[in-house]
């Protein structure tokens, strides 16, 4: 039964490619927000519960401020919840970095250039994005 599995793997590589396009997302190549064509998934490029310092985003009055943050590849963003209610930092293409109660922080590292839209899974009106260059 190993032959059909190997044939399937070879067929998948020939149909979908191996992701070695050589371009960068800013040059029109796939970004983590573009799904299956992406060589690295957002869940691999977005690392929740990281240790590091970088751009600060406040969660206040049911908004992310600033709503768009920019960092270099391998950079960090730290969200601080100053509301009295819980919020999440949930990336549209994954992962969900969990609930943040009032006063809690979440630091995320971004390892691959691209645009990473996110939202609060508890409050559907809350949206933001991280641009990684």
């Amino acid at each position: 039964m190993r032959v059909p599995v190997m044939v399937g793997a070879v067929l998948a590589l020939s149909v979908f490619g191996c992701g070695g396009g050589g371009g960068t997302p800013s040059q029109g190549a796939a970004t983590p927000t573009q799904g299956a064509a992406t060589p690295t998934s957002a869940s691999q490029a977005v690392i929740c519960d990281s240790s590091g310092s970088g751009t600060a985003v406040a969660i206040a009055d049911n908004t992310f401020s600033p709503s768009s943050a920019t960092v270099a590849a391998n950079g960090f963003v730290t969200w601080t919840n100053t509301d009295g209610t819980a919020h999440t930092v949930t990336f549209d293409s994954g992962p969900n970095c969990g609930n943040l109660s009032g006063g809690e922080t979440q630091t995320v590292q971004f390892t691959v250039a691209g645009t990473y839209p996110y939202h609060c899974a508890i409050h559907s009106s809350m949206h933001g994005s991280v641009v990684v260059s």
Side-chain angles (χ1 to χ4, degrees):
M1 296 308 291
R2 290 191 182 273
V3 173
V5 172
M6 182 59 79
V7 170
V10 171
L11 181 60
L13 282 175
S14 66
V15 171
F16 296 110
C18 62
T24 63
S26 61
Q27 295 170 332
T31 65
T33 58
Q34 293 175 328
T38 304
T40 303
S41 72
S43 62
Q44 293 171 315
V46 176
I47 304 169
C48 302
D49 300 316
S50 293
S51 296
S53 61
T55 303
V57 175
I59 303 172
D61 300 322
N62 287 341
T63 61
F64 296 109
S65 181
S67 62
S68 181
T70 301
V71 297
N74 294 311
F76 299 89
V77 175
T78 299
W79 285 264
T80 302
N81 183 0
T82 62
D83 275 347
T85 186
H87 295 287
T88 71
V89 176
T90 303
F91 292 89
D92 295 359
S93 296
N96 177 341
C97 292
N99 289 350
L100 292 176
S101 296
E104 291 185 327
T105 63
Q106 172 62 252
T107 299
V108 177
Q109 183 177 24
F110 298 87
T111 62
V112 177
T115 299
Y116 299 84
Y118 66 91
H119 60 280
C120 174
I122 301 168
H123 305 98
S124 61
S125 64
M126 295 175 63
H127 296 274
S129 65
V130 177
V131 177
V132 181
S133 55

